Amino acid sequence: MDDPKINDELIAAHGLKPEEYAMILEIIGRDPTFTELGIFSAMWNEHCSYKSSKKWLRTLPTEGPQVICGPGENAGVIDIGDGQAVIFKMESHNHPSYIEPYQGAATGVGGILRDVFTMGARPIAAMNSLSFGETSHPKTRQLVNGVVEGIGGYGNCFGVPNVGGEVRFHPAYNGNCLVNAFAAGLADADKIFYSAASGVGMPVVYLGAKTGRDGVGGATMASAEFDDTIEEKRPTVQVGDPFTEKRLMEATLELMATGAVISIQDMGAAGLTCSAVEMGDKGGLGVKLQLDDVPQREENMTAYEMMLSESQERMLMVLNPDLEDAARAVFEKWDLDFAIVGETIEEDRFLIMHGNEIKADLPLSKLSSTAPEYDRPWVETPAAEELAEVPAVDAIDALRALLSSPNYASKHWVYEQYDHMVMADTVRAPGLGAGIVRVHGTDKAVAFTSDVTPRYVKANPVEGGKQAVAEAYRNLTAVGAKPLATTDNLNFGNPEKPEIMGQFVGAIKGIGAAVAALDMPIVSGNVSLYNETDGQGILPTPTIGAVGLLDSLDDMIAGTARDGHVAMVVGETAGHLGQSALLAEVFNREDGDAPHVDLDAEARNGEFIRANRALIKACSDLSDGGLAVAAFEMAQAGGVGVTLDATETATIFGEDQARYLVACNFDEAEALMVEAGRAGVHIETVGRFTGDTVRIGGSEAPLSELEEAWRTGFDSAHR
């Protein structure tokens, strides 16, 4: 088959701007082959090159004594003591999940799991952060059902506990849902595997499943806006097989124990192209590939298709040639392909052979580390207008409206489809705040959470970015864990629009300030841009995944409220209603500024909670819906009613930051008051847990009635 003629239309179809194509001509001094055009397209798109975001990502704090490996590898690595490390990352599969919900979400899970075990870790936990359009939109139910089924179908078969996450609905996601997948694994700190190739003339080995035509061009598609041709993009979505991935993990971990692995890289976005280029570039080496040796499951595949296929469950490694037989035996045992497909070379070349023809011969370093980098024009998001008056509301009626909303109703329908008990180390199940997984064979545990409030970020990107980190910090603290580090998944619209780029820049500034102040460095992450359909962008959604440590399970705050417990709020309440859940769900308004985040108060109040956890029976951070929603959720979990003393709407539903709701016995409450005075922390009694009724602001309803609204509120999203 002859290669198509390269013209302006073909260049544009590969997501390359005319000036970028001119750069290619200057770099290679000739017209590229069709395969070379595909390689440049894959390596220079946003998904692989971060060309619009690199400048700002470099400003994020990424170091600390707890960090073993920061951004730049397959995943981040942090030290949890005793010679152990947690390896984790969050990554998007937004565009594929909108086009083909089941496989898009499933392969998102598969990809993030590979990022973790590629570095030598056995996965111990997964989470996801999902954003969908309004429930009345004709596509939303199909997306919700398909995505949830895909996440469960892949994760359950692979055998990793899904311990938490979040689900939201907003019209801004009608044409572009977000599927952000998180995974974490456990490894010995002195047995981490990296991707930089080393040594000249070393065999480059293809591992795992065979290569097909699924996902060809997927990375380029993920770096483009959607329009009315969206259905034509379905072939660019990958197809996953969790049972093959399970075998691949076991084979990879067994292979690593042989000492045969010099370097190893997951074949994710842009498949063989990206994995080979990144390994060579990080090691300062070139790579020669012979595509005839690539295991193929379809006939007559071209060099272009093999280089750009995103078939799943594949890895690439540089092999110690002295241990080839031992390495091959491992993969044959697991019934997986093991094929030497090339070698490392001294020159800065990416040489691709197919048959006896040279299909690509490019300077390898120009494909990765010297890819285009843009300083996009940006404008600061205008200050939010002052909040218009918020009418007083019946507190119970307003609470019922919040609990009935799919945004704040119970997500049990979602997480009950995920296996959260596999591996038998899950200590705290989904739906109760941060998930907790015991470090097998020890008394230690690791806590996980995922957080962002997109309406805050849209109103005030800097404060919204801070708040996403602060809420993650509070969710970890609320279970007694010490926050250690974060990963980010930065979902935004078209960066070529200065106002969208301004949202990105503002959020990065806020995130950077917060992770520095709260000692939670960013160690890995992902940027997903061009989340737009017909020119309409999503809400800016910089999701923060965070990891915390419990040195002992005895340190965990895992109790529930009981009859007679005192309800107390740690932190100051001013009654901030701008951009609140109350406004959005009860008044259909999104106005006012995001709440201000006092990072000093966040750190001080968090340290107070952790230092005094022995006095606290139950704890929750205050976020969406303020005191009312937190008090209901704590009451519901304990099966007991609650009476709050507050009468003002702003006090009941305000979303001031740096606050926790705690439940404890009367004598413990007195002791907490004393300790708060010593620590300079504001604390006040706000009510008590008792009976079987929820009483707020002079209004009341049976707990069972509100619980029914909360339990059924999500039904409209999937039925």
Side-chain angles (χ1 to χ4, degrees):
M1 184 191 302
D2 292 333
D3 287 342
K5 179 176 172 56
I6 295 177
N7 54 31
D8 291 346
E9 289 75 22
L10 191 65
I11 293 165
H14 280 74
L16 292 164
K17 308 278 187 193
E19 57 271 23
E20 291 175 336
Y21 187 69
M23 287 175 63
I24 292 171
L25 296 180
E26 186 177 339
I27 287 168
I28 63 177
R30 56 176 171 78
D31 291 336
T33 66
F34 180 52
T35 300
E36 289 174 335
L37 181 71
I39 289 170
F40 270 109
S41 165
M43 292 307 303
W44 283 13
N45 64 57
E46 292 285 355
H47 196 76
C48 293
S49 75
Y50 295 89
K51 59 189 175 186
S52 294
S53 56
K54 275 192 286 195
K55 170 184 173 170
W56 297 101
L57 295 177
R58 291 192 192 102
T59 68
L60 290 169
T62 60
E63 297 178 347
Q66 70 273 50
V67 178
I68 294 174
C69 176
E73 273 295 337
N74 287 292
V77 187
I78 58 171
D79 191 338
I80 60 166
D82 304 312
Q84 294 176 308
V86 170
I87 297 177
F88 67 99
K89 187 182 182 184
M90 182 173 262
E91 200 162 72
S92 61
H93 234 222
N94 303 336
H95 285 48
S97 297
Y98 190 81
I99 296 169
E100 214 305 302
Y102 184 95
Q103 289 296 349
T107 52
V109 174
I112 200 68
L113 289 169
R114 283 196 305 282
D115 281 337
V116 167
F117 70 72
T118 299
M119 296 193 71
R122 182 173 291 276
I124 60 169
M127 293 190 299
N128 49 79
S129 177
L130 312 176
S131 303
F132 299 105
E134 56 198 331
T135 56
S136 59
H137 188 271
K139 197 169 172 76
T140 296
R141 291 180 192 177
Q142 174 208 353
L143 289 170
V144 172
N145 283 288
V147 165
V148 171
E149 189 178 350
I151 291 169
Y154 203 101
N156 295 353
C157 293
F158 178 87
V160 61
N162 195 314
V163 299
E166 52 188 347
V167 186
R168 70 180 55 84
F169 299 88
H170 191 281
Y173 305 105
N174 279 348
N176 200 128
C177 65
L178 302 183
V179 175
N180 294 175
F182 170 100
L186 189 68
D188 291 339
D190 60 350
K191 294 176 183 172
I192 309 298
F193 288 81
Y194 298 100
S195 58
S198 64
V200 174
M202 294 296 166
V204 174
V205 183
Y206 174 114
L207 306 169
K210 289 178 166 53
T211 293
R213 291 188 171 93
D214 52 322
V216 172
T220 300
M221 176 273 293
S223 301
E225 293 182 33
F226 283 153
D227 53 30
D228 55 10
T229 65
I230 185 171
E231 290 301 321
E232 299 170 16
K233 296 181 170 69
R234 193 175 300 276
T236 61
V237 177
Q238 311 90 331
V239 177
D241 178 354
F243 298 108
T244 298
E245 177 117 335
K246 176 70 170 175
R247 287 186 289 125
L248 179 62
M249 178 190 72
E250 297 295 351
T252 300
L253 295 178
E254 191 173 326
L255 174 71
M256 289 168 169
T258 68
V261 178
I262 293 175
S263 64
I264 190 162
Q265 175 78 31
D266 157 44
M267 277 196 229
L272 191 54
T273 290
C274 193
S275 55
V277 168
E278 288 191 358
M279 290 174 77
D281 187 61
K282 288 175 184 174
L285 295 169
V287 174
K288 177 183 178 181
L289 296 179
Q290 175 52 260
L291 298 186
D292 298 79
D293 297 327
V294 170
Q296 299 160 52
R297 68 165 186 261
E298 299 184 44
E299 294 183 357
N300 302 316
M301 289 191 72
T302 65
Y304 178 95
E305 290 170 331
M306 279 187 271
M307 292 307 296
L308 298 186
S309 167
E310 293 184 7
S311 294
Q312 297 292 285
E313 294 86 43
R314 302 180 302 158
M315 316 274 268
L316 197 67
M317 80 160 178
V318 176
L319 170 73
N320 178 343
D322 296 338
L323 295 171
E324 178 186 339
D325 290 344
R328 186 183 298 275
V330 170
F331 271 73
E332 288 178 351
K333 182 183 91 171
W334 288 99
D335 194 23
L336 292 165
D337 279 297
F338 178 101
I340 295 176
V341 296
E343 64 177 340
T344 58
I345 55 179
E346 191 169 3
E347 310 101 291
D348 179 21
R349 292 176 78 187
F350 192 38
L351 183 61
I352 310 300
M353 306 293 296
H354 191 209
N356 294 316
E357 288 186 62
I358 295 176
K359 289 296 184 178
D361 189 356
L362 300 168
L364 187 144
S365 64
K366 300 292 185 185
L367 294 167
S368 182
S369 56
T370 54
E373 182 174 332
Y374 296 123
D375 185 0
R376 300 275 189 203
W378 61 279
V379 295
E380 196 168 317
T381 301
E385 293 183 10
E386 195 169 325
L387 180 66
E389 184 180 351
V390 180
V393 293
D394 180 282
I396 292 296
D397 287 346
L399 176 59
R400 187 182 290 110
L402 285 168
L403 300 179
S404 301
S405 161
N407 279 312
Y408 306 110
S410 169
K411 306 302 189 297
H412 66 93
W413 177 84
V414 176
Y415 59 72
E416 284 173 2
Q417 296 187 58
Y418 307 151
D419 188 341
H420 63 268
M421 292 308 295
V422 64
M423 299 174 74
D425 281 317
T426 303
V427 177
R428 190 174 174 94
L432 297 169
I436 302 176
V437 174
R438 182 170 58 98
V439 177
H440 193 75
T442 75
D443 195 39
K444 292 191 301 189
V446 186
F448 305 99
T449 186
S450 165
D451 298 285
V452 66
T453 308
R455 62 180 183 276
Y456 291 172
V457 187
K458 183 180 182 185
N460 188 328
V462 176
E463 293 301 321
K466 284 186 197 173
Q467 193 276 338
V469 176
E471 186 172 344
Y473 173 87
R474 292 197 304 270
N475 276 329
L476 296 175
T477 294
V479 298
K482 177 176 174 51
L484 287 183
T486 50
T487 182
D488 58 18
N489 203 147
L490 306 173
N491 308 274
F492 290 81
N494 184 345
E496 296 169 52
K497 297 178 178 178
E499 64 275 15
I500 299 295
M501 197 63 205
Q503 292 176 343
F504 182 86
V505 171
I508 287 281
K509 289 180 177 180
I511 291 168
V515 298
L518 301 174
D519 191 20
M520 298 168 70
I522 297 272
V523 298
S524 59
N526 172 243
V527 178
S528 176
L529 302 175
Y530 295 97
N531 288 290
E532 299 203 358
T533 299
D534 296 328
Q536 294 297 307
I538 59 163
L539 291 180
T541 312
T543 310
I544 297 294
V547 176
L549 179 66
L550 289 152
D551 289 323
S552 167
L553 287 172
D554 292 337
D555 294 336
M556 184 169 58
I557 304 172
T560 55
R562 291 284 180 258
D563 202 345
H565 276 173
V566 177
M568 309 180 79
V569 167
V570 173
E572 296 193 42
T573 300
H576 183 94
L577 287 175
Q579 298 298 330
S580 65
L582 177 77
L583 283 188
E585 301 293 346
V586 177
F587 297 104
N588 197 28
R589 288 169 49 182
E590 293 185 11
D591 55 330
D593 199 1
H596 173 71
V597 180
D598 181 336
L599 293 169
D600 290 337
E602 291 284 4
R604 183 171 60 249
N605 295 353
E607 288 166 8
F608 173 78
I609 292 289
R610 294 192 301 274
N612 294 283
R613 51 193 157 203
L615 298 172
I616 298 170
K617 292 293 188 288
C619 183
S620 171
D621 87 303
L622 269 63
S623 53
D624 295 84
L627 177 59
V629 169
F632 164 78
E633 289 179 345
M634 195 175 282
Q636 185 278 327
V640 62
V642 62
T643 297
L644 296 180
D645 302 329
T647 57
E648 298 293 324
T649 297
T651 306
I652 296 166
F653 294 100
E655 296 181 4
D656 306 281
Q657 301 297 294
R659 296 187 302 157
Y660 300 83
L661 177 64
V662 300
C664 55
N665 294 322
F666 183 79
D667 55 341
E668 293 165 331
E670 286 191 322
L672 275 176
M673 290 275 199
V674 172
E675 293 302 322
R678 289 175 179 159
V681 166
H682 183 87
I683 189 169
E684 59 184 307
T685 301
V686 295
R688 66 189 184 282
F689 292 93
T690 186
D692 57 8
T693 299
V694 176
R695 295 184 177 88
I696 309 175
S699 185
E700 64 180 69
L703 175 64
S704 58
E705 178 194 314
L706 294 175
E707 187 173 15
E708 177 66 15
W710 176 72
R711 284 210 162 270
T712 58
F714 194 80
D715 290 352
S716 63
H718 65 91
R719 287 185 178 174

